[in-house]
Amino acid sequence: AEKNLKLEEKITMLQQQNEELRARIEQNTIITRQLSEENANLQEYVEKEVEEKKRLSRTNEELLWKLQEGDVTSPKKLASTLPPSLYQCSSEDSSPAKVRTLRR
C-alpha cells in the first residue's frame, strides 16, 4: 500500500511536469511563429532597401555619365534634374558627402 502511494505521488508529479512542459512547448511555438513572421518582414525590408540602393546607384551612374558627356551644363540644371529621393539619405550607402558631391 505504501509503495502504491509513493507511485501515485510520483505519477501526479510527472503529470504536473508533463503539463508544464506542454505549456512551455506551446509558448515556444507562439514565439517561434512571431519570430518567423518578423524575420520574413525584415527580409522583405532588406530586399526593398537593396532594390532602392541599386536604383540610386543606377541614377548616380547615369548622372555621372551625363556630367562627363556634358549633357548637364550647370549646377542649377543638375539640381533640377535630380530626383527628390537623391536628396534624402534613405539607404545606408547614401552618405551626405556623396549627395553633396552630386550637387556640385
Side-chain angles (χ1 to χ4, degrees):
E2 190 175 316
K3 190 174 184 179
N4 280 347
L5 186 59
K6 285 184 181 182
L7 288 174
E8 286 176 10
E9 287 174 0
K10 190 168 185 173
I11 288 172
T12 303
M13 183 187 70
L14 290 173
Q15 286 174 334
Q16 288 173 346
Q17 285 180 347
N18 193 19
E19 286 302 314
E20 289 172 6
L21 290 173
R22 286 178 198 242
R24 287 175 60 187
I25 288 172
E26 186 176 327
Q27 189 75 15
N28 285 342
T29 301
I30 291 169
I31 291 171
T32 300
R33 283 188 195 128
Q34 290 171 343
L35 290 173
S36 293
E37 186 176 322
E38 184 178 346
N39 186 39
N41 290 338
L42 288 172
Q43 284 179 341
E44 183 178 332
Y45 174 78
V46 166
E47 288 173 14
K48 287 180 181 178
E49 286 293 312
V50 166
E51 289 303 314
E52 177 68 7
K53 188 175 178 178
K54 286 179 184 176
R55 186 189 67 75
L56 289 172
S57 179
R58 286 190 303 267
T59 302
N60 186 32
E61 289 295 321
E62 179 183 338
L63 290 171
L64 288 173
W65 182 80
K66 284 182 179 180
L67 279 173
Q68 290 172 352
E69 295 298 312
D71 289 349
V72 181
T73 56
S74 73
K76 287 183 182 180
K77 189 172 181 183
L78 173 62
S80 67
T81 62
L82 290 175
S85 62
L86 282 182
Y87 290 108
Q88 302 167 351
C89 294
S90 63
S91 86
E92 293 176 9
D93 201 33
S94 296
S95 68
K98 289 185 179 184
V99 173
R100 266 189 253 113
T101 301
L102 285 175
R103 286 192 224 163
R104 286 185 190 164

